[in-house]
Amino acid sequence: MLRSHYNIDALEAGLDEAGRGCLAGPVVAAAVILPKDYTHHLLNDSKQLSKIQRNILRIEIKRDALAYAVAEASHEEIDKINILKASFLAMHRAIDKLVFRPEHLLIDGNRFTPYPLISHTCIIKGDAKFLSIAAASILAKTYRDDLMEKLAEDFPHYKWQQNAGYPTQFHKKAIKEHGFTPFHRLTFKSD
């Protein structure tokens, strides 16, 4: 069972990103502040859930959270500063958008660029350990999947509605046949 908090005495925000390993589209981050001792029987790492489960949970997270925010760093920013820095930039932007200022940040992963005046803890596989990080993973993934589905309407050859811009064999083959779109990350290799 996922934990509801890291430090019971601090207002915590969980953070995670989606789209880090993609060939196209932005990297998206979410920050979620859940009530103290929050529980949910289904909430888990977004990769462990079906699309239907994620979409149901997205509604419930938005309803139950004390605060949440989603932000992105564009494919141009990824090409300019690299994917790791762009992931942290998206996370910082999500924190900036929260209606409450958290006292502590729980970051999925092993690295983070510190946010000014807020302590943080990096937790490897945190989206499978803490509810707030799992909630952030779901909001980031569902937001990004919806965005890539919309972009797929204008670029149907790449099947982003199915692969969300990840480097599937089909996506790599489509790049070889049709070239790059304005949304591809040019610093990523397609093969």
Side-chain angles (χ1 to χ4, degrees):
M1 181 147 185
L2 276 64
R3 293 173 55 187
S4 63
H5 59 272
Y6 181 83
N7 178 353
I8 191 69
D9 297 323
L11 184 65
E12 294 177 338
L15 284 100
D16 201 0
E17 53 71 27
R20 193 160 155 182
C22 293
L23 300 177
V27 63
V28 174
V32 178
I33 301 173
L34 293 172
K36 297 278 186 204
D37 293 324
Y38 183 76
T39 60
H40 197 291
H41 71 285
L42 184 61
L43 187 52
N44 199 351
D45 168 12
S46 65
K47 295 180 288 300
Q48 303 301 318
L49 302 168
S50 70
K51 182 175 182 174
I52 291 170
Q53 290 172 320
R54 286 191 298 268
N55 284 326
I56 290 168
L57 281 166
R58 169 176 40 184
I59 294 165
E60 294 179 6
I61 292 163
K62 289 180 175 183
R63 178 195 67 209
D64 296 344
L66 299 176
Y68 67 88
V70 179
E72 56 186 82
S74 71
H75 60 284
E76 295 101 341
E77 289 171 314
I78 293 166
D79 285 339
K80 185 175 181 182
I81 63 175
N82 82 40
I83 186 60
L84 183 63
K85 289 178 184 174
S87 297
F88 299 156
L89 176 61
M91 288 183 180
H92 281 226
R93 287 174 175 163
I95 297 163
D96 289 342
K97 291 171 66 176
L98 288 170
V99 295
F100 298 119
R101 183 176 175 86
E103 299 165 331
H104 191 77
L105 306 172
L106 299 180
I107 311 298
D108 183 53
N110 63 357
R111 288 190 279 179
F112 182 64
T113 300
Y115 188 90
L117 305 176
I118 302 178
S119 63
H120 72 272
T121 302
C122 292
I123 300 164
I124 295 169
K125 299 189 182 198
D127 51 2
K129 296 176 183 174
F130 288 91
L131 290 166
S132 62
I133 301 175
S137 79
I138 289 164
L139 294 189
K141 179 156 181 51
T142 54
Y143 175 98
R144 190 175 188 287
D145 286 353
D146 288 351
L147 176 67
M148 295 307 291
E149 283 181 27
K150 287 180 187 134
L151 290 175
E153 293 172 9
D154 292 328
F155 300 96
H157 300 300
Y158 304 89
K159 295 202 187 234
W160 291 337
Q161 72 279 13
Q162 293 174 359
N163 63 48
Y166 282 92
T168 62
Q169 290 300 320
F170 183 91
H171 189 183
K172 292 189 278 187
K173 184 179 177 200
I175 291 170
K176 287 179 181 171
E177 290 177 8
H178 305 284
F180 292 105
T181 70
F183 296 98
H184 276 99
R185 304 172 185 179
L186 301 180
T187 52
F188 279 33
K189 299 224 184 267
S190 64
D191 46 34

